Amino acid sequence: MKFGRLLKTTSLDLPEMEALFSVYKSLKKQVKRLPFKDQLGQQGTLETLSEEEANFVEALSDTLHQLNEMFLEKEENSVIRVERLEHELAAATAPEQLNALHKDFVDFHGEVLLLVHWSILAYTATVKILKKHHKRTGLLVKAPQLGDLLSQPFCSTELMTSIAHRVEEDIQHLARLKRS
């Protein structure tokens, strides 16, 4: 299955992926507007390319900024939420509280895993766009954010993965509490 189709299908099932799909689609359209590397000589000037290239780099930079902002906000909310849930777990004693907390932890675990999945898809989408750009123009994109793509916040899943493991441990702890 092609990546664009995978993103579209995923975005239909998960509304959180809709923004990622629309960004990928938009950047892909911009790449298609760039001239092919063998057409550069036929066009005669590099001004057209440099303007189109500048527009593409600006759109890519804006996209990376948006992805980072969105990811950092969700990451921050996840840290706050796991702390709150763990505080509630420490204070819970009644079986109905434990049942409600178990459901909250399981739901939250699913959300964390979706965010990790989103991060992986966002990284893959960025790499695919860059590959399409390079294949079409033969030029490497010169954007400061791309110096080290893996250092972009949305490409880092370490914190969210550790939160997922932490929540899994909390769910196991809850299961033990509910049995006793």
Side-chain angles (χ1 to χ4, degrees), residues 61-75:
S61 295
D62 290 346
T63 298
L64 291 177
H65 181 72
Q66 288 173 350
L67 293 175
N68 284 330
E69 289 294 317
M70 189 166 79
F71 182 77
L72 288 171
E73 180 182 333
K74 288 183 181 258
E75 193 177 57

Side-chain angles (χ1 to χ4, degrees), residues 118-176:
W118 178 90
S119 175
I120 293 167
L121 286 176
Y123 171 76
T124 304
T126 304
V127 169
K128 289 207 164 273
I129 288 296
L130 292 173
K131 184 178 175 187
K132 288 177 188 308
H133 175 273
H134 182 67
K135 184 177 179 181
R136 183 156 183 119
T137 66
L139 301 171
L140 296 175
V141 176
K142 298 198 179 0
Q145 299 90 334
L146 298 177
D148 187 10
L149 182 60
L150 289 174
S151 70
Q152 295 293 316
F154 75 89
C155 294
S156 174
T157 60
E158 286 86 16
L159 178 61
M160 294 311 295
T161 304
S162 72
I163 289 175
H165 291 307
R166 194 167 144 186
V167 171
E168 289 165 7
E169 290 171 4
D170 290 335
I171 290 171
Q172 289 173 355
H173 178 69
L174 261 168
R176 285 190 299 274

Side-chain angles (χ1 to χ4, degrees), residues 42-151:
Q42 295 171 0
Q43 285 186 332
T45 65
L46 286 175
E47 286 79 37
T48 307
L49 175 67
S50 61
E51 182 181 330
E52 291 169 341
E53 186 73 18
N55 290 340
F56 175 76
V57 170
E58 183 179 340
L60 183 62
S61 295
D62 290 346
T63 298
L64 291 177
H65 181 72
Q66 288 173 350
L67 293 175
N68 284 330
E69 289 294 317
M70 189 166 79
F71 182 77
L72 288 171
E73 180 182 333
K74 288 183 181 258
E75 193 177 57
E76 182 180 341
N77 289 339
S78 295
V79 169
I80 293 167
R81 188 164 170 202
V82 75
E83 293 291 334
R84 182 184 54 81
L85 284 171
E86 287 176 340
H87 181 71
E88 289 176 20
L89 176 59
T93 54
E96 51 276 349
Q97 285 178 313
L98 295 176
N99 287 336
L101 271 174
H102 186 266
K103 182 187 178 321
D104 290 345
F105 269 104
V106 170
D107 290 346
F108 178 59
H109 184 261
E111 292 171 23
V112 169
L113 292 180
L114 281 176
L115 188 56
V116 170
H117 181 69
W118 178 90
S119 175
I120 293 167
L121 286 176
Y123 171 76
T124 304
T126 304
V127 169
K128 289 207 164 273
I129 288 296
L130 292 173
K131 184 178 175 187
K132 288 177 188 308
H133 175 273
H134 182 67
K135 184 177 179 181
R136 183 156 183 119
T137 66
L139 301 171
L140 296 175
V141 176
K142 298 198 179 0
Q145 299 90 334
L146 298 177
D148 187 10
L149 182 60
L150 289 174
S151 70

